[in-house]
Coordinates of all heavy atoms in Angstrom, one line a residue:
L194 N -18.9 3.3 8.6 CA -18.7 1.9 9.0 C -18.8 1.6 10.5 O -18.8 0.5 10.9 CB -17.4 1.4 8.4 CG -17.2 1.3 6.9 CD1 -15.8 0.9 6.6 CD2 -18.2 0.4 6.3
G195 N -18.8 2.7 11.2 CA -18.9 2.6 12.7 C -17.6 2.1 13.3 O -17.6 1.4 14.3
M196 N -16.5 2.4 12.7 CA -15.2 2.0 13.1 C -14.4 3.1 13.7 O -14.5 4.3 13.3 CB -14.4 1.3 11.9 CG -15.1 0.1 11.4 SD -14.4 -0.5 9.8 CE -12.6 -0.5 10.2
D197 N -13.5 2.8 14.6 CA -12.7 3.8 15.3 C -11.6 4.3 14.4 O -11.0 3.6 13.6 CB -12.0 3.2 16.5 CG -13.0 2.8 17.6 OD1 -14.1 3.5 17.7 OD2 -12.7 1.9 18.5
L198 N -11.4 5.6 14.4 CA -10.3 6.2 13.7 C -9.9 7.5 14.4 O -10.8 8.3 14.7 CB -10.7 6.5 12.2 CG -9.7 7.3 11.4 CD1 -8.6 6.5 10.9 CD2 -10.4 8.0 10.2
D199 N -8.6 7.8 14.5 CA -8.1 9.1 14.9 C -7.6 9.7 13.6 O -6.6 9.3 13.0 CB -6.9 8.9 15.9 CG -6.3 10.2 16.2 OD1 -6.8 11.3 15.7 OD2 -5.4 10.2 17.1
P200 N -8.3 10.7 13.1 CA -7.9 11.3 11.8 C -6.5 11.9 11.8 O -5.9 12.0 10.7 CB -9.0 12.5 11.6 CG -10.2 12.0 12.4 CD -9.6 11.3 13.6
A201 N -6.0 12.2 12.9 CA -4.7 12.8 13.0 C -3.6 11.8 12.6 O -2.5 12.1 12.3 CB -4.4 13.3 14.4
T202 N -4.0 10.5 12.6 CA -3.0 9.5 12.2 C -2.9 9.3 10.7 O -2.0 8.6 10.2 CB -3.3 8.1 12.8 OG1 -4.6 7.7 12.3 CG2 -3.4 8.2 14.3
V203 N -3.8 10.0 9.9 CA -3.7 9.9 8.5 C -2.8 11.0 8.0 O -3.1 12.2 8.0 CB -5.1 10.1 7.8 CG1 -5.1 10.0 6.3 CG2 -6.1 9.1 8.4
G204 N -1.6 10.6 7.5 CA -0.6 11.6 7.1 C 0.1 11.1 5.8 O -0.3 10.1 5.2
A205 N 1.1 11.9 5.5 CA 1.9 11.6 4.3 C 3.4 11.8 4.6 O 3.7 12.6 5.5 CB 1.5 12.5 3.1
A206 N 4.2 11.1 3.8 CA 5.7 11.2 4.1 C 6.2 12.7 4.0 O 7.1 13.1 4.7 CB 6.4 10.3 3.1
Q207 N 5.6 13.4 3.1 CA 6.0 14.9 3.0 C 5.6 15.7 4.2 O 6.2 16.8 4.4 CB 5.4 15.5 1.7 CG 6.1 15.1 0.4 CD 5.6 15.9 -0.8 OE1 4.7 16.7 -0.7 NE2 6.3 15.7 -1.9
D208 N 4.7 15.2 5.0 CA 4.4 15.9 6.3 C 5.6 15.8 7.2 O 5.8 16.7 8.0 CB 3.2 15.2 7.0 CG 1.9 15.4 6.2 OD1 1.8 16.3 5.3 OD2 1.0 14.5 6.4
A209 N 6.4 14.8 7.0 CA 7.6 14.6 7.9 C 8.8 15.1 7.2 O 9.8 15.5 7.8 CB 7.8 13.1 8.2
N210 N 8.8 15.2 5.8 CA 10.0 15.8 5.1 C 9.4 16.5 3.9 O 9.1 15.9 2.8 CB 10.9 14.6 4.6 CG 12.0 15.2 3.7 OD1 12.2 16.4 3.6 ND2 12.8 14.3 3.2
L211 N 9.3 17.8 4.0 CA 8.7 18.6 2.9 C 9.4 18.5 1.6 O 8.8 18.8 0.6 CB 8.7 20.1 3.4 CG 7.6 20.5 4.5 CD1 7.9 21.9 4.9 CD2 6.2 20.3 4.0
H212 N 10.6 18.2 1.6 CA 11.4 18.2 0.4 C 11.4 16.8 -0.3 O 12.1 16.6 -1.4 CB 12.8 18.6 0.7 CG 12.9 19.9 1.4 ND1 12.5 21.1 0.7 CD2 13.2 20.3 2.6 CE1 12.7 22.1 1.6 NE2 13.1 21.6 2.7
L213 N 10.7 15.8 0.2 CA 10.7 14.5 -0.4 C 10.1 14.5 -1.8 O 9.0 15.1 -2.0 CB 10.0 13.5 0.5 CG 9.7 12.1 0.0 CD1 11.1 11.4 -0.3 CD2 8.9 11.3 1.0
L214 N 10.7 13.8 -2.7 CA 10.2 13.7 -4.1 C 9.8 12.2 -4.3 O 10.5 11.3 -3.8 CB 11.3 14.1 -5.1 CG 11.7 15.6 -5.1 CD1 12.8 15.8 -6.1 CD2 10.5 16.5 -5.3
M215 N 8.8 12.0 -5.1 CA 8.3 10.6 -5.4 C 9.4 9.8 -6.0 O 9.6 8.6 -5.6 CB 7.1 10.7 -6.3 CG 6.5 9.4 -6.6 SD 5.5 8.6 -5.3 CE 4.1 9.7 -5.3
E216 N 10.1 10.4 -7.0 CA 11.1 9.6 -7.7 C 12.3 9.2 -6.8 O 12.9 8.1 -6.9 CB 11.7 10.4 -8.9 CG 12.1 11.8 -8.6 CD 11.1 12.8 -8.9 OE1 9.9 12.5 -8.6 OE2 11.4 13.9 -9.4
D217 N 12.6 10.0 -5.8 CA 13.6 9.7 -4.8 C 13.2 8.5 -4.0 O 14.0 7.6 -3.7 CB 14.0 10.9 -3.9 CG 14.7 12.0 -4.7 OD1 15.2 11.7 -5.8 OD2 14.7 13.1 -4.2
L218 N 12.0 8.5 -3.6 CA 11.5 7.3 -2.8 C 11.5 6.0 -3.7 O 11.9 5.0 -3.2 CB 10.1 7.6 -2.3 CG 9.4 6.5 -1.5 CD1 10.3 6.1 -0.3 CD2 8.0 6.8 -1.0
E219 N 11.1 6.2 -4.9 CA 11.1 5.0 -5.8 C 12.5 4.4 -5.9 O 12.7 3.2 -5.8 CB 10.6 5.4 -7.2 CG 9.1 5.7 -7.2 CD 8.6 6.0 -8.6 OE1 9.5 6.0 -9.6 OE2 7.4 6.4 -8.8
D220 N 13.5 5.3 -6.1 CA 14.9 4.9 -6.2 C 15.4 4.2 -4.9 O 16.1 3.2 -4.9 CB 15.8 6.1 -6.5 CG 15.6 6.6 -7.9 OD1 15.0 5.9 -8.8 OD2 16.0 7.7 -8.2
A221 N 14.9 4.8 -3.8 CA 15.3 4.2 -2.5 C 14.7 2.8 -2.3 O 15.4 1.9 -1.7 CB 14.9 5.1 -1.3
I222 N 13.5 2.6 -2.7 CA 12.9 1.3 -2.6 C 13.6 0.3 -3.5 O 13.9 -0.8 -3.0 CB 11.4 1.4 -3.1 CG1 10.6 2.2 -2.0 CG2 10.8 0.0 -3.3 CD1 9.2 2.6 -2.5
V223 N 14.0 0.6 -4.7 CA 14.7 -0.3 -5.5 C 16.1 -0.6 -4.9 O 16.5 -1.8 -4.9 CB 14.9 0.3 -6.9 CG1 15.9 -0.5 -7.8 CG2 13.6 0.5 -7.7
E224 N 16.7 0.3 -4.3 CA 18.0 0.1 -3.7 C 17.9 -0.8 -2.4 O 18.7 -1.7 -2.2 CB 18.6 1.4 -3.2 CG 20.0 1.3 -2.5 CD 21.1 0.7 -3.3 OE1 21.0 0.8 -4.6 OE2 22.0 0.0 -2.7
V225 N 16.8 -0.6 -1.6 CA 16.6 -1.4 -0.5 C 16.3 -2.9 -0.9 O 16.7 -3.8 -0.3 CB 15.5 -0.9 0.4 CG1 15.0 -1.9 1.4 CG2 16.0 0.4 1.1
Y226 N 15.5 -3.0 -2.0 CA 15.3 -4.4 -2.5 C 16.6 -5.1 -2.9 O 16.8 -6.2 -2.5 CB 14.4 -4.3 -3.7 CG 12.9 -4.6 -3.4 CD1 12.1 -3.6 -2.9 CD2 12.4 -5.8 -3.7 CE1 10.8 -3.8 -2.6 CE2 11.0 -6.1 -3.4 CZ 10.3 -5.1 -2.8 OH 8.9 -5.4 -2.5
A227 N 17.5 -4.4 -3.5 CA 18.7 -5.0 -3.9 C 19.6 -5.3 -2.7 O 20.2 -6.4 -2.7 CB 19.5 -4.0 -4.8
Q228 N 19.5 -4.5 -1.7 CA 20.3 -4.8 -0.5 C 19.8 -6.0 0.2 O 20.5 -6.7 1.0 CB 20.2 -3.6 0.5 CG 21.0 -2.3 0.0 CD 20.7 -1.1 0.8 OE1 20.1 -1.2 1.9 NE2 21.1 0.0 0.4
N229 N 18.5 -6.3 0.0 CA 17.9 -7.5 0.7 C 17.8 -8.7 -0.2 O 17.1 -9.6 0.1 CB 16.5 -7.1 1.2 CG 16.6 -6.3 2.5 OD1 16.6 -6.8 3.6 ND2 16.6 -5.0 2.3
G230 N 18.6 -8.7 -1.3 CA 18.7 -9.9 -2.1 C 17.7 -10.1 -3.2 O 17.7 -11.1 -3.8
F231 N 16.9 -9.0 -3.5 CA 16.0 -9.1 -4.6 C 16.6 -8.4 -5.8 O 16.7 -7.2 -5.8 CB 14.6 -8.5 -4.2 CG 13.9 -9.2 -3.1 CD1 13.9 -8.7 -1.8 CD2 13.2 -10.4 -3.4 CE1 13.3 -9.4 -0.8 CE2 12.5 -11.0 -2.3 CZ 12.5 -10.5 -1.0

Side-chain angles (χ1 to χ4, degrees):
L194 295 175
M196 294 167 53
D197 292 335
L198 173 76
D199 178 0
T202 62
V203 182
Q207 280 189 357
D208 296 336
N210 177 8
L211 286 173
H212 305 292
L213 174 62
L214 298 176
M215 182 74 73
E216 52 265 36
D217 290 341
L218 178 58
E219 291 180 3
D220 290 344
I222 290 168
V223 172
E224 178 60 29
V225 167
Y226 261 81
Q228 291 172 11
N229 282 271
F231 295 101

